[in-house]
């Protein structure tokens, strides 16, 4: 297959045989397969974050497919834990640009709930808090920001040194950690901007970070 992606929950597999093919979406629980028709050549498919939304880049379009409802929504979608909303990293004005625009949209109809005001650089990663009311983004300007998903207002901003690669929230929702490309892990309490832990220089690259309780 040209492209193959599995949702983080393990429920769905998306497969594309050639760049010009439609998407074969398979429910691993039932074995049911459905064909998603795409009008333009498919460049990329993935299940962002921890949800079951399928994000598709086809030609110049970036869209999100909701498998359970068999419908398309605008933008690239990171689904909230309560399955009511998603983060749309909005399409840049030209293919050469990287978007630093982000909005929160309803899954039911794709309508905009809020926009993140003050996101000054493209995000390298984002995560929802379990309450579905807050979102944390890590941006290429070396800042971590916590947002109110309903109003779009920034609640906190933390600056750090290093080139970031991934971000994670602890299970108790009290700690944020970021992995840097120079193989460090930095951690902050959610309610305190001072870094309380810095793990230095793993021997190899850090591919994934998970915080245990």
């Amino acid at each position: 297959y040209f492209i193959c992606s599995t949702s983080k929950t393990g429920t769905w597999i998306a497969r594309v045989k050639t760049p010009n093919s439609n998407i074969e979406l398979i429910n691993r629980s039932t074995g049911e397969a459905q064909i998603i028709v795409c009008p333009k050549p498919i460049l990329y498919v993935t299940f962002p974050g921890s949800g079951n939304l399928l994000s598709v880049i086809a030609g110049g379009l970036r869209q999100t497919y909701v498998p359970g409802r068999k419908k398309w929504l605008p933008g690239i979608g990171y689904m909230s834990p309560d399955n009511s909303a998603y983060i749309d990293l909005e399409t840049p004005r030209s293919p050469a640009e990287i978007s630093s625009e982000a909005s929160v949209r309803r899954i039911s109809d794709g309508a905009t709930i809020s926009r993140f005001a003050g996101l000054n650089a493209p995000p390298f990663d984002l995560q929802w808090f379990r309450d579905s009311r807050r979102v944390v983004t890590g941006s290429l300007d070396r800042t971590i920001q916590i947002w109110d998903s309903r109003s779009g207002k920034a609640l906190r901003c933390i600056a750090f040194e290093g080139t970031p690669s991934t971000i994670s929230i602890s299970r108790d929702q009290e700690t944020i950690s970021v992995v840097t490309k120079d193989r460090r892990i930095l951690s902050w309490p959610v309610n305190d901007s001072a870094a309380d832990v810095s793990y230095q220089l793993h021997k190899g690259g850090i591919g994934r970070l998970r915080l245990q309780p």
Side-chain angles (χ1 to χ4, degrees):
Y1 284 90
F2 173 66
I3 303 171
C4 187
S5 183
T6 304
S7 66
K8 301 299 187 297
T9 61
T11 305
W12 299 95
I13 298 176
R15 303 192 299 192
V16 181
K17 285 188 175 180
T18 72
N20 295 315
S21 292
N22 296 319
I23 301 169
E24 182 184 18
L25 190 64
I26 302 169
N27 187 317
R28 297 181 69 186
S29 301
T30 65
E32 177 189 0
Q34 57 182 281
I35 301 298
I36 306 172
V37 178
C38 292
K40 294 190 177 184
I42 299 167
L43 302 178
Y44 186 67
V45 298
T46 188
F47 293 90
S50 58
N52 287 321
L53 297 181
L54 177 65
S55 292
V56 179
I57 300 178
L61 298 177
R62 300 185 182 200
Q63 292 183 294
T64 288
Y65 187 77
V66 188
R69 302 184 184 185
K70 298 183 179 180
K71 64 184 294 185
W72 288 99
L73 298 171
I76 299 295
Y78 290 74
M79 187 164 62
S80 63
D82 65 3
N83 300 330
S84 67
Y86 69 101
I87 303 293
D88 172 15
L89 298 180
E90 297 175 11
T91 305
R93 288 169 292 180
S94 73
E97 295 181 6
I98 301 176
S99 177
S100 59
E101 301 286 329
S103 60
V104 182
R105 296 180 182 270
R106 283 198 301 264
I107 286 181
S108 60
D109 58 7
T112 299
I113 298 171
S114 66
R115 294 181 184 273
F116 291 163
L119 189 62
N120 296 320
F124 64 86
D125 198 8
L126 63 85
Q127 299 288 336
W128 284 89
F129 282 84
R130 196 177 299 122
D131 60 12
S132 297
R133 296 286 301 270
R134 295 169 296 163
V135 176
V136 59
T137 60
S139 296
L140 296 179
D141 62 355
R142 301 178 181 180
T143 62
I144 292 171
Q145 290 180 274
I146 300 175
W147 305 86
D148 183 314
S149 65
R150 297 187 180 183
S151 69
K153 292 181 179 179
L155 303 175
R156 300 197 51 227
C157 182
I158 302 169
F160 61 93
E161 294 295 328
T163 303
S165 61
T166 189
I167 195 170
S168 184
I169 304 172
S170 63
R171 288 189 180 181
D172 63 8
Q173 307 289 279
E174 296 295 331
T175 303
I176 299 170
S177 294
V178 64
V179 175
T180 63
K181 291 186 177 179
D182 59 358
R183 306 191 304 279
R184 289 181 300 143
I185 300 174
L186 305 175
S187 295
W188 297 265
V190 168
N191 297 313
D192 186 351
S193 61
D196 65 342
V197 180
S198 177
Y199 302 97
Q200 295 285 339
L201 295 176
H202 285 241
K203 291 182 180 180
I206 303 170
R208 187 177 182 185
L209 174 66
R210 175 177 292 177
L211 300 180
Q212 301 293 343

